Amino acid sequence: MPVFISWQGGVTRSRIDVFSNIRTTMTGDNHSTEDELVKFEEKYARILSQDPSSVTFIFLAQVLHKQGKVDKAIKVLINGLRYNKNSVTGRFLLGKIYYDRWLIEQAKREFQAVIELAPDNLAACKMLVQIHKSEEAYGKALELLKTASAYHPHDASITCELAELEVLLSSAEKKDQEFRSARENIRTAIESKSAEDLARETSFHGIHTENIPGTDRAVRNREPGGSSAAWRDQAPCARAERSVLRSSIVIVIGPTPPGTGVIAEA
């Protein structure tokens, strides 16, 4: 019997009772369910072996998925889509399996293909929206829902989610602006300071003197237990020209351990 697939209101409907039969077997005991699924698997596999281009690949993939044979279901779907590139149901099912396995990029690709083939497909749209929200790509999610709203103007769930996304997008834009402003203020403050100012402000963290001329007898050679005043007094770097400091100091962030070749202040 030929299989006809139609698209109605974003839901795939079959004109034969294949899915009905599968659902019926799921209500029985586990043993009978497994037996029935095996029979369906054999039946659809046989059809595909005779006609690889048959849309039966969708049914076989669903049966395999119910049996927990996920990798095999993916292979069946990928192979079937080679012959049926525009199969909305096949692509959505593949995208859903990818999503469940956290293969997000692959899932996004399939859901996007579904929307391109069937712009009114609300199921694929919502899956893609959830992915974009999880990535904080609120602008992309908002655009998708606006398009979906044009096809489903009376869907209350779309209206609610649009309002939620607008709030999220506004909040994200505000935080981004605050971050950019703070970063610019820091940059301006740093650029306005002279090298001398920066050297003084970092004296508590230490200045590396390895490449500064005249420091070969600096504090790296001081005796353990000496006073900090003696440490500073022994350092020729404390008397070095500011021009030398300006061209050669390297700021070391963090406390300065004694005897490490790091001078306390310039």
Side-chain angles (χ1 to χ4, degrees), residues 42-259:
E42 293 173 349
K43 174 182 177 181
Y44 300 139
R46 185 169 57 253
I47 294 173
L48 280 177
S49 67
Q50 297 170 355
D51 181 10
S53 65
S54 171
V55 294
T56 307
F57 79 96
I58 297 171
F59 307 136
L60 177 57
Q62 286 201 325
V63 170
L64 292 170
H65 187 252
K66 288 181 182 294
Q67 291 175 306
K69 301 176 182 179
V70 181
D71 289 332
K72 195 171 182 180
I74 290 175
K75 290 179 181 178
V76 168
L77 286 167
I78 291 174
N79 188 63
L81 287 169
R82 291 196 183 103
Y83 297 95
N84 302 272
K85 297 182 184 297
N86 296 333
S87 173
V88 171
T89 307
R91 293 202 174 277
F92 181 84
L93 181 56
L94 182 57
K96 185 64 169 60
I97 293 175
Y98 280 147
Y99 181 83
D100 292 340
R101 302 196 94 184
W102 289 89
L103 299 171
I104 303 303
E105 289 304 314
Q106 293 91 323
K108 283 167 64 174
R109 183 183 65 235
E110 297 304 329
F111 291 139
Q112 185 60 48
V114 170
I115 291 174
E116 290 172 1
L117 291 168
D120 64 332
N121 189 303
L122 189 55
C125 173
K126 288 192 172 184
M127 292 298 298
L128 206 49
V129 165
Q130 289 305 312
I131 292 174
H132 287 321
K133 284 174 66 177
S134 69
E135 296 173 339
E136 297 186 357
Y138 302 125
K140 292 181 179 179
L142 192 63
E143 288 303 314
L144 277 172
L145 275 183
K146 285 181 178 178
T147 301
S149 180
Y151 289 99
H152 308 276
H154 305 298
D155 193 311
S157 67
I158 295 178
T159 304
C160 291
E161 196 153 10
L162 277 171
E164 178 190 346
L165 277 170
E166 287 172 352
V167 172
L168 289 172
L169 182 60
S170 176
S171 177
E173 289 176 344
K174 182 179 179 181
K175 289 180 180 179
D176 184 63
Q177 182 58 40
E178 289 174 351
F179 171 76
R180 291 174 183 273
S181 177
R183 185 175 61 182
E184 186 60 32
N185 290 340
I186 293 172
R187 180 181 296 150
T188 301
I190 291 175
E191 290 175 350
S192 67
K193 292 182 180 295
S194 65
E196 291 86 349
D197 292 334
L198 291 174
R200 281 196 297 271
E201 291 177 6
T202 56
S203 62
F204 289 106
H205 296 289
I207 302 175
H208 198 287
T209 64
E210 181 178 329
N211 298 320
I212 300 179
T215 60
D216 55 314
R217 297 182 305 278
V219 293
R220 71 185 68 183
N221 297 322
R222 81 178 180 91
E223 292 296 326
S227 68
S228 59
W231 186 8
R232 289 193 295 270
D233 291 340
Q234 291 175 22
C237 182
R239 301 184 298 275
E241 291 294 329
R242 293 299 182 183
S243 60
V244 173
L245 289 172
R246 186 177 297 112
S247 63
S248 56
I249 64 171
V250 177
I251 306 302
V252 178
I253 303 301
T256 304

